[in-house]
Amino acid sequence: MQKLGHRLLALCALSGALLAGCGIRSTEVPTDFGPAPSRVHCSLSEPNVSTQAARGLPVQVFLLCGSQLVAVDRTVRVPEGTADSARRVLVAQGLLDELEATPSPAEKEAGYTTDVRGAMGVTGPRRDDPEETLRLSVSPEDLTSFALAQIVCTFSDSSAAEGDGSVILGGPTTAPPRRYECTDEVRTRPGSNEPPSTEVTDG
């Protein structure tokens, strides 16, 4: 019986040593792995407007940031003396090119992206279209909801449109153009809310 007691004491001592060896050691490294501080998204430094003006016509395009549409400054080149009808198309093409361009490193760091792809072109109205119509080389209904929202809001906020928050867009087919609107819902949730549109058949 005495030997059994000695064995039990020895086993207890061994178990205690093993348990102590398997314990979690104290550490000076913080164990709170919450999100690290990072640059505020969708925040860019103010552009130099005078420098922009020297490069071309100052405009704004809508990029995606934080699942919303956010306006950023760009420039487009339009030759002096261009007639109004041709000027609208040149501005629209310049805006489209800027939407398709890869965001700058600073814009990428701030979280900006674009869903407009494919080197699209834009032309003016056909014979039976309203005079402010812009026809894309890709049908608007074939674009993603994000890309369509970017184009509609960018065009409708520029001299390529009539300045009433809408733009008339058509595609390369014979389908009649439609008037698209850039609403607050489209700006804040472009993936869930496509720009509302109505069909137009004449000027």
Side-chain angles (χ1 to χ4, degrees):
M1 183 65 70
Q2 187 175 5
K3 289 183 179 180
L4 181 59
H6 285 302
R7 287 179 181 174
L8 287 175
L9 287 174
L11 285 173
C12 288
L14 179 60
S15 298
L18 289 174
L19 288 173
C22 294
I24 299 175
R25 293 182 302 169
S26 61
T27 174
E28 295 180 1
V29 179
T31 55
D32 180 11
F33 296 106
S38 61
R39 176 175 177 170
V40 177
H41 277 354
C42 309
S43 177
L44 292 170
S45 59
E46 290 296 323
N48 187 321
V49 177
S50 60
T51 302
Q52 280 199 335
R55 294 198 300 263
L57 177 68
V59 295
Q60 286 190 321
V61 300
F62 283 89
L63 299 183
L64 298 168
C65 193
S67 300
Q68 298 182 15
L69 294 183
V70 182
V72 298
D73 295 296
R74 293 285 192 270
T75 59
V76 297
R77 290 195 173 277
V78 180
E80 291 290 338
T82 303
D84 287 345
S85 57
R87 181 184 177 87
R88 290 181 58 255
V89 175
L90 286 175
V91 170
Q93 185 64 63
L95 293 170
L96 201 55
D97 292 343
E98 291 296 333
L99 286 172
E100 293 171 346
T102 302
S104 69
E107 289 167 346
K108 283 184 178 180
E109 186 180 351
Y112 287 83
T113 62
T114 182
D115 212 45
V116 181
R117 304 278 191 274
M120 281 187 284
V122 58
T123 59
R126 294 178 179 172
R127 185 178 61 182
D128 296 328
D129 291 341
E131 64 178 359
E132 64 268 29
T133 300
L134 296 169
R135 283 193 172 268
L136 304 174
S137 59
V138 175
S139 296
E141 57 267 24
D142 291 336
L143 298 170
T144 66
S145 60
F146 288 108
L148 182 59
Q150 285 184 258
I151 293 172
V152 167
C153 289
T154 295
F155 282 4
S156 65
D157 194 43
S158 74
S159 58
E162 295 301 300
D164 62 352
S166 70
V167 62
I168 298 178
L169 295 179
T173 68
T174 57
R178 301 181 68 86
R179 182 181 293 276
Y180 293 85
E181 295 181 47
C182 178
T183 64
D184 290 338
E185 289 75 15
V186 171
R187 288 192 185 94
T188 55
R189 293 186 297 276
S192 304
N193 297 279
E194 289 197 354
S197 66
T198 55
E199 186 175 308
V200 292
T201 55
D202 54 48

